[in-house]
Amino acid sequence: QVTLVESGGGLVQAGGSLRLSCAASGRSTYAMGWFRQAPGKEREFVAAIIRINSRTYYADSVKGRFTISRDNTKNTLYLQMNSLKPEDTAVYYCGATDRAIITVLADYKYWGQGTQVTVSS
């Protein structure tokens, strides 16, 4: 059993920054990641990090602007979002997976409730 709770979303102007947090409880998993879903669109991969080696992966749309990290002491996953654009507006979800294909939404078994990020122009 894994429980995930996101926080840190809000309203920000284009070019601004936010840091999302995902507090995890329960057992450890192979990887954790961030996905986002805009109104009327499919949930899409944003970033992920593998537990054993801390290797990170990013969607092309956020590469160079977003940074995924974790604090194992606090059992918390983070997503630092810089240079935000209106197209980043979405509900952001934290997920956890025991499967190796960490960019695939269907492979994530555990999800948080989501946190809204709104970027105004």
Side-chain angles (χ1 to χ4, degrees), residues 25-70:
S25 61
R27 68 176 181 85
S28 299
T29 57
Y30 172 72
M32 296 182 67
W34 291 96
F35 290 73
R36 66 187 183 187
Q37 187 168 20
K41 296 184 178 180
E42 298 292 324
R43 191 174 299 187
E44 65 177 5
F45 171 77
V46 176
I49 184 167
I50 298 174
R51 189 189 77 252
I52 57 174
N53 60 9
S54 297
R55 186 172 181 180
T56 58
Y57 298 82
Y58 296 93
D60 288 341
S61 60
V62 306
K63 196 171 298 181
R65 300 188 298 121
F66 291 10
T67 302
I68 189 170
S69 62
R70 65 171 182 252

Side-chain angles (χ1 to χ4, degrees), residues 4 6 19 25-26 29 34-35 37 40 50 57 61 64-65 68 71-73 76 84-85 88-89 96 104 111 121:
L4 307 172
E6 302 97 333
R19 188 176 75 160
S25 61
T29 57
W34 291 96
F35 290 73
Q37 187 168 20
I50 298 174
Y57 298 82
S61 60
R65 300 188 298 121
I68 189 170
D71 185 332
N72 291 329
T73 301
T76 300
L84 283 162
K85 305 174 181 179
D88 295 319
T89 295
V104 176
W111 295 98
S121 59

Side-chain angles (χ1 to χ4, degrees), residues 9-14 18 84-86 88-92 115-120:
L11 175 64
V12 65
Q13 293 281 88
L18 285 173
L84 283 162
K85 305 174 181 179
D88 295 319
T89 295
V91 177
Y92 283 71
T115 186
Q116 176 71 49
V117 172
T118 302
V119 184
S120 62

